[in-house]
Amino acid sequence: MQGLSFAALVTRIPEIQKAHHLTDGTLALVLLAVPVVAGVGSVLSGGLMPRYGSGPVLRIAQPFVLLSIIAIGVAPGNVALYASTALFGLFVGAVDASMNAQAVTAETLYSKSLLTGFHAVWSAAGIIAGLWIALANRIDMGLGIGFAIPAVLGIAVSLWTGRLLYPREMESTGPSGEQLKEAAKRVPWRPIVIIGVAVTCMYIADSATSSYSAKYLKDDLDASGAIAPLAYVAYQVCMMLSRTGADLVVRAYGAARVVAVGSVIGGLGLLAAAFAPGPAVAIAGFAVAGLGLAVVVPTSFSAAGKLDPTGLGIAVARVNVFNYVGFVLGAVIAGAVASNLWIAYAAGAALTLVILGSAKGFEPAPVAGATPDTPVAERPVA
């Protein structure tokens, strides 16, 4: 549902800009505000999860993400647009941290790589939303109804599945507040920063692709409104394909090798998109970029889980902050070169070299108590 709502919004950015008569500079500021506020939401949820668990945070935040995109679609003026966009960012940040904490719990309980598979589902929903927006643009559907249809579906699914999330007792043994503070001090920052730098570089490229690929195709490569969202769709299709099989590859060859190879593939795809002579080549380039970059984020959360002795997602929340640093920087770079967006994609390609250099950090030495040795089948259920 997070992938559905996010894709529905970013693939219709050119139409939002036109409806509200936003200049490229104003649009850049609006898009910049989303990851900034999302970072706040991620930090706030990181403070709530140790006390209440990630499940309740996710159950509350996810429906509000979907309600906020409806608010963006029906915003009568720019002030309402800015306010609803800020709410979207706040709840997106809360959902990002809490849903990945849930996924880390599942991976820990089953003692195997699972996160890339969960992120594949995120991409699958993004593909559906991107295709929906392509259709909505083709038939000139209004912003409000275009967002309301996927949002209502998303709210219904979120409410229905929320009751199935892991309870707090499955995430930890329920330490006291003082014990929790002491445990949090044992979450080391240095390996998290190494992972976070790679995540930041990935999200600089992802931000430019997610938020600006439709605009790039439409404004710079003369694509139609129905074709422009397909760059994001192609990007997510290959992300989904990559993530669907990546867990098996990670188990066989290790996260470091997978991230290293993925960074090279991602860089080549971004270069193709940056220097594309037309929409078709750009769409293909974004597809290749998605194929390679897809593995960075889920493996970063897996690595964070090995560094967290609390089992409450503290390390995940810390890594999640780097997502928004990257998204902010990506929005700044793309916004600064909005009339020459190829520069943003060329910069993203260059930054994949940093990911390549950080790949070994995705296989950190586990912190004592962070990775349970007992498989889920042998563990008592609280």
Side-chain angles (χ1 to χ4, degrees):
M1 296 307 99
Q2 183 81 320
L4 186 81
S5 58
F6 184 79
L9 181 63
V10 298
T11 53
R12 221 167 190 201
I13 283 174
E15 287 67 37
I16 294 173
Q17 182 180 18
K18 181 179 179 181
H20 289 270
H21 308 290
L22 303 178
T23 65
D24 284 345
T26 303
L27 176 65
L29 290 175
V30 173
L31 295 178
L32 175 62
V34 172
V36 171
V37 179
V40 175
S42 181
V43 171
L44 291 176
S45 66
L48 293 171
M49 287 190 294
R51 177 171 295 184
Y52 302 105
S54 59
V57 175
L58 182 55
R59 292 187 71 176
I60 293 170
Q62 183 63 78
F64 278 100
V65 170
L66 294 150
L67 287 171
S68 65
I69 69 167
I70 298 176
I72 291 171
V74 299
N78 287 355
V79 174
L81 175 67
Y82 303 153
S84 53
T85 301
L87 288 175
F88 173 79
L90 182 68
F91 289 114
V92 159
V95 170
D96 281 352
S98 56
M99 73 178 180
N100 282 296
Q102 284 278 309
V104 167
T105 297
E107 187 171 77
T108 300
L109 292 174
Y110 283 91
S111 300
K112 62 177 68 176
S113 177
L114 294 172
L115 263 77
T116 55
F118 289 129
H119 283 248
V121 179
W122 190 98
S123 295
I127 293 164
I128 294 171
L131 292 173
W132 164 251
I133 295 303
L135 174 62
N137 287 344
R138 186 173 182 84
I139 63 177
D140 294 322
M141 182 179 290
L143 291 173
I145 188 66
F147 288 149
I149 291 175
V152 169
L153 171 64
I155 290 170
V157 173
S158 295
L159 294 176
W160 180 68
T161 57
R163 60 192 174 85
L164 304 175
L165 296 171
Y166 288 118
R168 183 181 184 278
E169 292 75 16
M170 293 290 286
E171 296 182 281
S172 77
T173 56
S176 66
E178 193 60 34
Q179 290 173 323
L180 182 62
K181 289 179 182 179
E182 290 302 314
K185 292 177 183 178
R186 293 167 52 206
V187 179
W189 271 105
R190 186 176 181 275
I192 287 177
V193 170
I194 294 173
I195 297 166
V197 168
V199 169
T200 296
C201 292
M202 184 273 176
Y203 266 103
I204 289 174
D206 186 80
S207 174
T209 301
S210 299
S211 300
Y212 282 92
S213 61
K215 180 177 172 61
Y216 176 53
L217 260 69
K218 192 171 183 179
D219 294 354
D220 294 15
L221 301 179
D222 298 320
S224 67
I227 296 298
L230 298 183
Y232 183 83
V233 170
Y235 180 67
Q236 290 298 338
V237 164
C238 285
M239 274 201 159
M240 181 188 69
L241 293 175
S242 179
R243 287 169 172 172
T244 298
D247 283 316
L248 297 175
V249 180
V250 168
R251 294 171 203 167
Y253 299 102
R257 289 184 181 179
V258 172
V259 170
V261 173
S263 65
V264 174
I265 295 172
L268 293 174
L270 289 169
L271 282 176
F275 297 102
V281 175
I283 290 171
F286 287 125
V288 173
L291 192 68
L293 297 178
V295 298
V296 176
V297 175
T299 50
S300 75
F301 290 123
S302 294
K306 297 177 182 178
L307 300 169
D308 192 344
T310 71
L312 292 171
I314 293 174
V316 170
R318 290 179 182 178
V319 169
N320 208 44
V321 172
F322 287 93
N323 296 358
Y324 303 112
V325 173
F327 229 89
V328 167
L329 292 176
V332 169
I333 293 170
V337 295
S339 57
N340 292 284
L341 282 168
W342 69 270
I343 298 175
Y345 301 122
L351 289 173
T352 58
L353 296 175
V354 178
I355 301 175
L356 179 62
S358 305
K360 288 185 178 180
F362 285 76
E363 292 182 0
V367 173
T371 307
D373 296 323
T374 308
V376 66
E378 301 175 16
R379 231 182 256 136
V381 178

